[in-house]
Amino acid sequence: MGKLYVVPTPVGNLEDMTFRAIRILKEADLILAEDTRTSGILLKHFEIKNAMQSHHKFNEHQTVEKVVERIKAGETVALISDAGTPGISDPGFLVVRECVRNGIEVQCLPGATAFVPALVASGLPDERFCFEGFLPQKKGRMTRLNALKEETRTMIFYESPYRLIKTLTQFIEYFGPDRQVSVCREISKVHEESVRGTLQEVVAHFTETEPRGEIVIVLGGIEN
């Protein structure tokens, strides 16, 4: 029987790719990629020429069974996403779950993921935290925010730059204007930046300066 490797890829700087990740991708019989065009650039950079197959949220239900069959037949499969660690707000959970159910060994390599550097650099308490990822766009959004009003741990959210001000403004409604927040953008890229302060201060900043790039919001919990 083969094996499934979950392989993190850089969220910004290509130098964040590990030696082990490159070796695994070169040795794999098949690479499952969220977007073959995006991953093709990465693989070309590291001179990886292995077979690649599209595996994303729109087709993963259809592809999982065949992937499991190939691993059972002895193939080694590596799973990557466009950036970061697969399964963290990216496709990956379904194929990992099915491999586990079928007794297939799953190894997840340590590596890049956006929320860890954003949390550590925020200056907010990081001994305990909760990862919320992307909030629901419509149904369930208010319910989720209500449920977090009494959360004492530091909270981590992913957000689009186009929705950042709207989300931070909603946070003011639910958590108050003086709640501490750090908005980290373009992690591991040339223009990486963390904007820290109260929700009100950070909203004012991004109202004057248009937010760009991938966004991680690190929000302080309620103080006891």
Side-chain angles (χ1 to χ4, degrees), residues 60-133:
E60 59 182 339
H61 287 275
Q62 289 75 41
T63 59
V64 162
E65 187 176 339
K66 289 183 179 179
V67 170
V68 169
E69 288 175 1
R70 293 183 66 163
I71 300 174
K72 281 185 171 181
E75 293 190 17
T76 297
V77 174
L79 171 69
I80 60 177
S81 62
D82 288 351
T85 301
I88 305 296
S89 292
D90 277 324
F93 168 71
L94 285 179
V95 68
V96 169
R97 181 180 66 183
E98 288 308 304
C99 284
V100 170
R101 285 177 173 175
N102 283 271
I104 294 169
E105 183 178 353
V106 178
Q107 284 192 12
C108 180
L109 277 61
T113 188
F115 78 80
V116 173
L119 171 63
V120 174
S122 71
L124 292 167
D126 57 9
E127 70 276 5
R128 296 176 69 242
F129 60 90
C130 61
F131 176 74
E132 292 294 323

Side-chain angles (χ1 to χ4, degrees), residues 15 32 40 43 72 144 193:
E15 292 179 1
L32 299 178
L43 299 186
K72 281 185 171 181
R144 180 81 63 84
E193 176 187 40

Side-chain angles (χ1 to χ4, degrees), residues 201-222:
E201 290 168 342
V202 173
V203 166
H205 171 84
F206 284 111
T207 299
E208 293 180 5
T209 307
E210 181 183 359
R212 295 180 179 180
E214 299 298 317
I215 302 287
V216 182
I217 303 171
V218 184
L219 182 68
I222 192 170

Side-chain angles (χ1 to χ4, degrees), residues 103-205:
I104 294 169
E105 183 178 353
V106 178
Q107 284 192 12
C108 180
L109 277 61
T113 188
F115 78 80
V116 173
L119 171 63
V120 174
S122 71
L124 292 167
D126 57 9
E127 70 276 5
R128 296 176 69 242
F129 60 90
C130 61
F131 176 74
E132 292 294 323
F134 287 98
L135 286 166
Q137 284 305 299
K138 295 180 181 178
K139 186 177 180 181
R141 187 180 180 91
M142 301 302 116
T143 302
R144 180 81 63 84
L145 288 172
N146 263 318
L148 293 171
K149 286 175 73 172
E150 303 301 318
E151 177 60 68
T152 58
R153 296 170 295 179
T154 298
M155 296 165 273
I156 301 167
F157 305 87
Y158 286 166
E159 191 51 280
S160 156
Y162 310 108
R163 295 189 295 264
L164 176 64
I165 292 177
K166 176 184 175 182
T167 295
L168 293 176
T169 301
Q170 285 184 323
F171 283 179
I172 288 176
E173 296 174 14
Y174 283 85
F175 306 113
D178 297 325
R179 185 73 66 92
Q180 290 293 310
V181 67
S182 174
V183 173
C184 191
R185 65 180 196 87
E186 294 290 76
I187 292 170
S188 192
K189 297 178 183 175
V190 174
H191 301 292
E192 179 175 341
E193 176 187 40
S194 289
V195 179
R196 308 172 182 88
T198 66
L199 281 168
Q200 187 168 321
E201 290 168 342
V202 173
V203 166
H205 171 84

Side-chain angles (χ1 to χ4, degrees), residues 2-16:
K3 185 184 297 185
L4 175 70
Y5 286 99
V6 181
V7 182
T9 55
V11 296
N13 195 321
L14 291 180
E15 292 179 1
D16 294 337

